[in-house]
Short mmCIF file of all heavy atoms in Angstrom, two decimals:
data_model
loop_
_atom_site.label_atom_id
_atom_site.label_comp_id
_atom_site.label_asym_id
_atom_site.label_seq_id
_atom_site.Cartn_x
_atom_site.Cartn_y
_atom_site.Cartn_z
N ALA A 51 8.10 1.17 -18.70
CA ALA A 51 9.32 1.99 -18.69
C ALA A 51 8.83 3.43 -18.71
O ALA A 51 8.80 4.06 -19.75
CB ALA A 51 10.22 1.68 -19.87
N THR A 124 5.92 -20.76 -36.70
CA THR A 124 5.86 -20.15 -35.37
C THR A 124 5.90 -18.63 -35.53
O THR A 124 6.67 -18.11 -36.34
CB THR A 124 7.05 -20.60 -34.51
OG1 THR A 124 7.04 -22.02 -34.38
CG2 THR A 124 6.99 -19.97 -33.12
N ALA A 444 12.65 20.14 20.00
CA ALA A 444 12.82 18.71 20.26
C ALA A 444 12.19 18.31 21.59
O ALA A 444 11.50 17.28 21.69
CB ALA A 444 14.31 18.34 20.23
N GLU A 515 3.11 -8.05 22.89
CA GLU A 515 3.07 -9.51 22.78
C GLU A 515 1.69 -9.99 22.35
O GLU A 515 1.57 -10.90 21.52
CB GLU A 515 3.45 -10.15 24.11
CG GLU A 515 3.48 -11.68 24.07
CD GLU A 515 3.91 -12.29 25.38
OE1 GLU A 515 4.16 -11.54 26.35
OE2 GLU A 515 4.02 -13.53 25.44
N TYR A 569 9.51 -11.25 18.11
CA TYR A 569 8.45 -12.25 17.92
C TYR A 569 8.66 -12.94 16.57
O TYR A 569 8.00 -12.67 15.57
CB TYR A 569 7.08 -11.58 18.01
CG TYR A 569 6.86 -10.98 19.38
CD1 TYR A 569 7.03 -9.61 19.59
CD2 TYR A 569 6.56 -11.80 20.46
CE1 TYR A 569 6.88 -9.07 20.85
CE2 TYR A 569 6.41 -11.25 21.74
CZ TYR A 569 6.57 -9.89 21.92
OH TYR A 569 6.43 -9.36 23.18
N THR A 586 3.89 -17.64 -6.84
CA THR A 586 2.75 -17.85 -7.75
C THR A 586 2.54 -16.67 -8.68
O THR A 586 1.93 -16.82 -9.74
CB THR A 586 1.45 -18.11 -6.97
OG1 THR A 586 1.03 -16.91 -6.32
CG2 THR A 586 1.63 -19.21 -5.94
N ASP A 664 26.72 5.50 1.75
CA ASP A 664 26.94 5.66 0.31
C ASP A 664 28.10 4.81 -0.20
O ASP A 664 28.73 5.13 -1.20
CB ASP A 664 27.17 7.13 -0.04
CG ASP A 664 26.85 7.42 -1.51
OD1 ASP A 664 26.00 6.71 -2.07
OD2 ASP A 664 27.46 8.34 -2.10
#
Side-chain angles (χ1 to χ4, degrees):
T124 301
E515 182 178 2
Y569 298 100
T586 70
D664 203 28

